[in-house]
Amino acid sequence: MSSKITFMPVSYTGWGSLEHLVSEAERLNASNILIVTDPFLVELGMTDKIVEPLKAKGWETSVYTEVVPEPPLAVGEKLVEFTRKHKFDLVIGLGGGSALDLAKLAGVLATHDGNVADYLNLTGSLSLSDKGIPKILIPTTSGTGSEVTNISVLSLETTKDVVTHDYLLPDVAIIDPALTVSLPPKVTAATGIDALTHAVEAYVSVNANPVTDAFALQAIRLISSSIRTAVTDGENKQARTDMSYGSYLAGLSFFNAGVAGVHALAYPLGGQFHVSHGESNAVLLPYVMGYIRQSCEKRMKDIVEAMGFSTAQLSQAQASYKCVEELKRLVTDVNIPLTLKGFEIPEDSLESLADAGIEQKRILARSPMKLERQDILAIYQAAYAGTITEK
């Protein structure tokens, strides 16, 4: 069976790689630049690292900060309108997944008619016809993988939806771990488990192939061995570098192989209760993997080995149970609640969460075990009770 592997045109990785920003903006013929970021990064002075070298070249820059976590559709609509009005010729996204997703959206839809809602995956009626204006994405977290994917996620009233097309791929991604040093422990943990989830789900995806497997397993090795240190000692250069590379590789893996059940169930948590995407994935990861364990025992054995554990004395089934146990331990060690109760999700909401989760058909199709609504409800119930349940 053949596999399609897609990458963005240019990536710079490693400590100090931000130094390539000006030359790449020059190559893309920039002169009027939109920088999409969040207010926190402005307060930290991080946007100055972007704006000052661009202004030194004599280019116009506008910093747009109306970015919020888990951005609602209305936020995307407002940004696209602003982008169209000011005729920018380059969009730079700086920040976490929300800023990067919005930057991609702004860059592509700047040259299209209609509203953002018209291009949503589940309900939209229009298709993207060109790649819009150039985009450079610069993550300040190690987690979302947005800088290497063709997806922009938006929150709706009870769930999330996406605009997705290869036109959303950036022209340049700059992944500089030095920009993640000031990330608070809680955000380091949530985005780090998000990246780990990308790698784990890509590895067990029905669309996995030897290329995505290599990316996923190395991402799991790097993230699982460094996330605890990154959370407790944010200035540890090696831990930040390993997390940065791990997130990048996980992004490449899940972009090409896809994510599945964890993300499908995480979207309604974010949509209905505004739990951050990383925390939504984290709280669901052990329960989804435990539920589908029998469909991917061998792959879960590989995952726990990549996490640094010997399975020499274990059967394949025992190793897969060990994988679930170690995923639970890792989430706990980085101080993320391990149950829906821990996020104050009411038990009477589980039915509505299941109703929304089953609608994520694009994502659920990649699960190694077919998940029906009753399965999704059972997983939410397990995550509420804190007890691993199997199919």
Side-chain angles (χ1 to χ4, degrees), residues 269 283-284 338-345 350 353 380 383-384:
L269 271 187
V283 71
L284 291 167
L338 203 53
T339 68
L340 296 183
K341 287 181 187 176
F343 289 99
E344 300 182 352
I345 307 299
L350 302 185
L353 287 170
Y380 280 130
Y384 182 83

Side-chain angles (χ1 to χ4, degrees), residues 31-35 60-64 66 78-91 106 110 133:
S31 61
N32 184 22
I33 304 169
L34 171 63
I35 299 162
E60 293 292 324
T61 61
S62 295
V63 178
Y64 188 94
E66 294 185 43
K78 187 173 183 180
L79 172 59
V80 167
E81 183 181 348
F82 178 84
T83 308
R84 289 171 176 168
K85 179 179 178 182
H86 292 278
K87 307 294 183 184
F88 297 107
D89 52 27
L90 173 66
V91 177
I133 59 179

Side-chain angles (χ1 to χ4, degrees), residues 4 22 110 214 221 230 245 272 337 391:
K4 178 186 177 184
V22 170
R221 292 185 193 103
Y245 274 109
Q272 293 184 32
K391 171 81 170 179

Side-chain angles (χ1 to χ4, degrees), residues 262-340:
V262 180
H263 276 71
L265 274 65
Y267 279 176
L269 271 187
Q272 293 184 32
F273 296 99
H274 308 293
V275 179
S276 78
H277 180 61
E279 290 176 321
S280 297
N281 278 332
V283 71
L284 291 167
L285 177 60
Y287 303 102
V288 173
M289 296 309 296
Y291 194 84
I292 70 170
R293 184 195 61 79
Q294 294 179 62
S295 68
C296 50
E297 281 186 356
K298 170 62 170 67
R299 296 223 147 209
M300 289 177 70
K301 175 176 181 285
D302 296 340
I303 289 168
V304 77
E305 288 175 351
M307 293 177 73
F309 297 94
S310 172
T311 63
Q313 305 303 316
L314 303 177
S315 68
Q316 187 167 282
Q318 288 171 328
S320 66
Y321 281 117
K322 176 70 171 173
C323 180
V324 176
E325 177 186 321
E326 293 305 327
L327 290 173
K328 283 184 70 175
R329 191 190 314 278
L330 186 54
V331 172
T332 301
D333 285 353
V334 296
N335 302 313
I336 296 175
L338 203 53
T339 68
L340 296 183

Side-chain angles (χ1 to χ4, degrees), residues 17-345:
S17 54
L18 186 62
E19 67 182 5
H20 298 285
L21 172 61
V22 170
S23 62
E24 285 298 326
E26 201 162 30
R27 180 178 68 83
L28 295 169
N29 298 313
S31 61
N32 184 22
I33 304 169
L34 171 63
I35 299 162
V36 179
T37 189
D38 66 65
F40 179 65
L41 295 182
V42 176
E43 290 176 23
L44 286 178
M46 195 170 292
T47 48
D48 293 340
K49 298 178 181 179
I50 308 297
V51 172
E52 289 175 3
L54 298 175
K55 282 189 171 180
K57 295 291 291 185
W59 297 328
E60 293 292 324
T61 61
S62 295
V63 178
Y64 188 94
T65 61
E66 294 185 43
V67 172
V68 296
E70 319 299 322
L73 176 61
V75 171
E77 299 281 15
K78 187 173 183 180
L79 172 59
V80 167
E81 183 181 348
F82 178 84
T83 308
R84 289 171 176 168
K85 179 179 178 182
H86 292 278
K87 307 294 183 184
F88 297 107
D89 52 27
L90 173 66
V91 177
I92 296 175
L94 174 72
S98 297
L100 303 188
D101 278 10
L102 288 170
K104 289 190 285 190
L105 197 68
V108 173
L109 290 184
T111 60
H112 288 75
D113 295 324
N115 299 317
V116 176
D118 297 325
Y119 297 90
L120 290 173
N121 177 67
L122 295 177
T123 58
S125 58
L126 297 180
S127 300
L128 298 174
S129 57
D130 66 77
K131 65 178 294 186
I133 59 179
K135 300 169 285 295
I136 297 177
L137 300 185
I138 308 170
T140 60
T141 69
S142 296
T144 69
S146 179
E147 70 277 5
V148 300
T149 70
N150 67 356
I151 300 170
S152 180
V153 184
L154 295 163
S155 294
L156 308 181
E157 283 189 15
T158 60
T159 186
K160 294 184 180 181
D161 201 354
V162 300
V163 178
T164 178
H165 194 287
D166 281 355
Y167 290 147
L168 271 78
L169 284 169
D171 297 86
V172 180
I174 298 175
I175 300 94
D176 188 339
L179 299 178
T180 69
V181 168
S182 60
L183 203 63
K186 182 178 179 180
V187 184
T188 299
T191 55
I193 297 294
D194 186 18
L196 180 69
T197 304
H198 293 154
V200 168
E201 290 215 278
Y203 191 66
V204 301
S205 167
V206 297
N207 294 332
N209 61 69
V211 176
T212 63
D213 287 352
F215 290 150
L217 288 176
Q218 182 63 1
I220 292 166
R221 292 185 193 103
L222 288 168
I223 295 166
S224 62
S225 65
S226 60
I227 188 171
R228 293 174 176 90
T229 302
V231 168
T232 58
D233 179 12
E235 295 190 5
N236 186 298
K237 184 175 180 178
Q238 189 60 56
R240 289 298 192 184
T241 298
D242 287 350
M243 287 297 297
S244 182
Y245 274 109
S247 172
Y248 175 69
L249 290 168
L252 292 175
S253 182
F254 96 82
F255 173 44
N256 285 284
V259 289
V262 180
H263 276 71
L265 274 65
Y267 279 176
L269 271 187
Q272 293 184 32
F273 296 99
H274 308 293
V275 179
S276 78
H277 180 61
E279 290 176 321
S280 297
N281 278 332
V283 71
L284 291 167
L285 177 60
Y287 303 102
V288 173
M289 296 309 296
Y291 194 84
I292 70 170
R293 184 195 61 79
Q294 294 179 62
S295 68
C296 50
E297 281 186 356
K298 170 62 170 67
R299 296 223 147 209
M300 289 177 70
K301 175 176 181 285
D302 296 340
I303 289 168
V304 77
E305 288 175 351
M307 293 177 73
F309 297 94
S310 172
T311 63
Q313 305 303 316
L314 303 177
S315 68
Q316 187 167 282
Q318 288 171 328
S320 66
Y321 281 117
K322 176 70 171 173
C323 180
V324 176
E325 177 186 321
E326 293 305 327
L327 290 173
K328 283 184 70 175
R329 191 190 314 278
L330 186 54
V331 172
T332 301
D333 285 353
V334 296
N335 302 313
I336 296 175
L338 203 53
T339 68
L340 296 183
K341 287 181 187 176
F343 289 99
E344 300 182 352
I345 307 299

